[in-house]
Amino acid sequence: MTTTWTNDMTPSSTFWDKVARKYAKSKIADEAAYQKTLQRVTEHLGPNDKVLELGAGTGSTALLLAGSVKSYLSTDFAPGMMEIAEEKLAAAKTEGNAPEGLSFLAADGFDPSLTTAAGDEGFDAVLAFNFLHLVEGPEALLDRVNGLLKPGGLFISKTVCLKSKAWLFVPMIKVMQLFGKAPYVSMLSTDMVNDMMTKAGFEIIETGLYPAPRSHFVVARKV
């Protein structure tokens, strides 16, 4: 499939393509925090919801959440990640435990196909886990998410916030980027994330740290 990148995400998608297989083998760093995140997300989703996930990686979270909603479109801007996600879905279908209504698509958040998928009513929820800090121009992405949601729809995200430790992480990441060992990373704080969401037309209704102190979980409602 040929994908047109509409928000200059090609360099990052190339990086994630290269590391997709290695990424797929990595273990969850904090299982308790991951399960807490899933629990909080599920609390906000309903069986008739139409859901979009951005930056889904290799689809592991989508496979766990999709069974609790009507439809779940899981996307990532790296085709290599989506290739692995499709393999996982095929394996689940073979085993007879694939969630109905789950589909994967290689696309960034600005892909026109997402507008088509949203339809006239919009998505009930858009999810983005460990993703906003990897996006160049997160403000524009939040505006786009708002446009994809129905009135009162939810944007549920978790963002790695490294601003307080920028003095440590920025030099390290820049060196790694020179050797192609790191993607674009934005130094955000929890306050910055909250402010961006408010300015994009969202009301924050829940926050948490899963895990503390840098993984900022937010449930925000389109107003």
Side-chain angles (χ1 to χ4, degrees):
M1 178 178 63
T2 300
T3 303
T4 300
W5 307 109
T6 56
N7 196 37
D8 195 25
M9 300 300 280
T10 305
S12 287
S13 68
T14 300
F15 169 83
W16 289 111
D17 271 341
K18 290 180 179 179
V19 303
R21 294 289 166 180
K22 182 178 180 180
Y23 175 86
K25 295 177 182 178
S26 62
K27 295 182 179 180
I28 296 171
D30 190 323
E31 183 66 31
Y34 181 66
Q35 292 300 324
K36 179 66 174 181
T37 301
L38 293 178
Q39 183 263 327
R40 294 311 309 143
V41 173
T42 303
E43 285 290 322
H44 289 280
L45 299 179
N48 294 316
D49 283 354
K50 179 167 65 174
V51 175
L52 168 67
E53 183 183 4
L54 303 174
T58 59
S60 295
T61 298
L63 286 161
L64 294 173
L65 291 176
S68 61
V69 300
K70 183 176 182 180
S71 68
Y72 193 112
L73 175 58
S74 180
T75 70
D76 196 279
F77 56 56
M81 291 288 187
M82 289 288 90
E83 180 180 338
I84 297 170
E86 291 282 10
E87 293 170 5
K88 290 181 180 180
L89 181 58
K93 288 180 178 178
T94 300
E95 296 167 2
N97 57 11
E100 294 184 10
L102 173 61
S103 59
F104 291 106
L105 176 68
D108 72 358
F110 294 84
D111 194 294
S113 63
L114 301 187
T115 303
T116 302
D120 293 335
E121 294 184 354
F123 289 101
D124 294 283
V126 176
L127 316 178
F129 305 120
N130 300 318
F131 182 58
L132 282 180
H133 66 293
L134 302 176
V135 174
E136 297 184 51
E139 298 91 347
L141 181 65
L142 289 172
D143 287 338
R144 168 65 165 164
V145 169
N146 188 290
L148 291 170
L149 283 166
K150 73 176 187 180
L154 297 179
F155 178 49
I156 306 177
S157 65
K158 190 163 75 171
T159 304
V160 178
C161 294
L162 301 174
K163 182 70 173 179
S164 65
K165 294 288 186 179
W167 60 270
L168 172 64
F169 289 111
V170 169
M172 183 190 312
I173 291 171
K174 285 188 177 297
V175 171
M176 293 175 68
Q177 287 171 337
L178 287 174
F179 294 94
K181 299 297 184 180
Y184 173 86
V185 181
S186 181
M187 297 292 119
L188 300 175
S189 69
T190 57
D191 286 343
M192 290 170 67
V193 172
N194 293 346
D195 185 58
M196 284 191 296
M197 290 190 183
T198 301
K199 289 180 178 177
F202 291 98
E203 174 192 7
I204 296 174
I205 60 175
E206 179 180 331
T207 63
L209 293 170
Y210 315 129
R214 297 186 181 88
S215 291
H216 184 44
F217 176 80
V218 180
V219 181
R221 179 183 291 117
K222 176 178 177 175
V223 295

